[in-house]
Amino acid sequence: MSERKVLRVSGPDAEQFLQGLVTNDVMRVKDGPVYAAMLTPQGKYRADFFLVADGDDILIDVAQPLSTDLLRALTMYKLRAKVTVAETDLTVSRGPGAAPDGAFDDPRDPRMGWRAYDGRPSVETDWDALRVDALIPESEIELTPDTFILEAGFERLSGVDFKKGCYVGQEVTARMKHKTELRKGLATVTVDGTAPIGTPILSGDRPAGVLYTQSGGRGIAYLRFDRATGALTAADARLRYTP
């Protein structure tokens, strides 16, 4: 997967360093890969990634376009922590189904198959179809700098832990969890026709959301739930949302 980059966090403070920055419990990484995100102080999405134990080090499997900013942010937050953060030459492989020897099950959803970091070839499949089926957002498509992770389904995807303590953006995320009802978020819609990714969705003449990835007559949409009723349109495509 040439569109992914692998960073390495090493040093005696690696776990505690990341624990104070990311949305999930880093201490679980010894039991298998952990899906997590780094947020802005305002609680919005900055990057999502997989954390993978490699001996005493932790690998960060992140979308390549986000890797430079993530590396810069981690370096900025390092301060006096005894850690080193660096790029690696490791490659990411993936395939559908259960994980073969030496690979790891995707922690977000079993339908997303496995990942490996040992140079083996990937097994090609229709990943967009799997993502739509499992309602899995993708970096730089459904996940943007305006995204709040709870609206993107991170709780369902085991990407956030509400008991682990403070991290960057934690206060906003906790408030959304405990004090508000989500009125917007990602959802699966049926799609009759096609429309470019990012096409606005209308309910009559009122904005109701945005249509993203589509496959097999279904799609991932960001919706205003109070307006996502009845017939919806996205350019020439007709949509329907069933809660």
Side-chain angles (χ1 to χ4, degrees), residues 25-231:
D25 185 359
V26 180
M27 303 306 170
R28 292 171 39 216
V29 75
K30 58 179 62 70
D31 300 321
V34 171
Y35 182 56
M38 188 169 180
L39 309 180
T40 67
Q42 295 74 34
K44 291 190 175 183
Y45 169 89
R46 189 166 188 170
D48 66 311
F49 37 77
F50 301 91
L51 303 175
V52 182
D54 184 30
D56 293 330
D57 299 346
I58 298 176
L59 304 178
I60 303 178
D61 166 2
V62 62
Q64 191 277 331
L66 303 179
S67 63
T68 299
D69 178 69
L70 180 60
L71 178 60
R72 183 185 302 116
L74 293 173
T75 301
M76 178 187 71
Y77 280 115
K78 186 173 68 171
L79 300 176
R80 296 182 179 179
K82 297 177 181 178
V83 296
T84 300
V85 185
E87 294 184 354
T88 76
D89 294 327
L90 295 172
T91 58
V92 182
S93 310
R94 65 175 175 173
D101 289 345
F104 304 93
D105 290 322
D106 191 308
R108 298 171 296 179
D109 189 289
R111 286 170 284 188
M112 294 304 294
W114 53 266
R115 307 177 81 83
Y117 304 92
D118 54 7
R120 74 182 69 193
S122 291
V123 179
E124 294 304 318
T125 192
D126 188 343
W127 292 106
D128 279 348
L130 294 179
R131 287 203 304 109
V132 170
D133 185 53
L135 188 54
I136 305 287
E138 179 69 22
S139 309
E140 298 200 301
I141 301 178
E142 291 85 14
L143 297 172
T144 75
D146 290 325
T147 297
F148 290 104
I149 60 167
L150 296 191
E151 293 183 345
F154 268 59
E155 186 172 8
R156 172 177 53 84
L157 301 175
S158 302
V160 58
D161 187 297
F162 293 102
K163 298 179 180 179
K164 58 160 283 185
C166 294
Y167 54 88
V168 177
Q170 180 265 343
E171 184 177 350
V172 175
T173 305
R175 188 164 60 246
M176 290 183 70
K177 165 69 173 175
H178 297 295
K179 295 187 177 181
T180 64
E181 179 181 354
L182 293 181
R183 299 178 181 179
K184 304 176 183 178
L186 294 181
T188 303
V189 294
T190 59
V191 184
D192 181 7
T194 59
I197 287 175
T199 299
I201 297 172
L202 299 178
S203 175
D205 59 357
R206 299 192 302 170
V210 181
L211 180 62
Y212 292 107
T213 306
Q214 302 144 65
S215 179
R218 304 171 74 212
I220 298 175
Y222 179 75
L223 297 176
R224 282 189 53 166
F225 297 125
D226 62 332
R227 295 185 179 179
T229 58

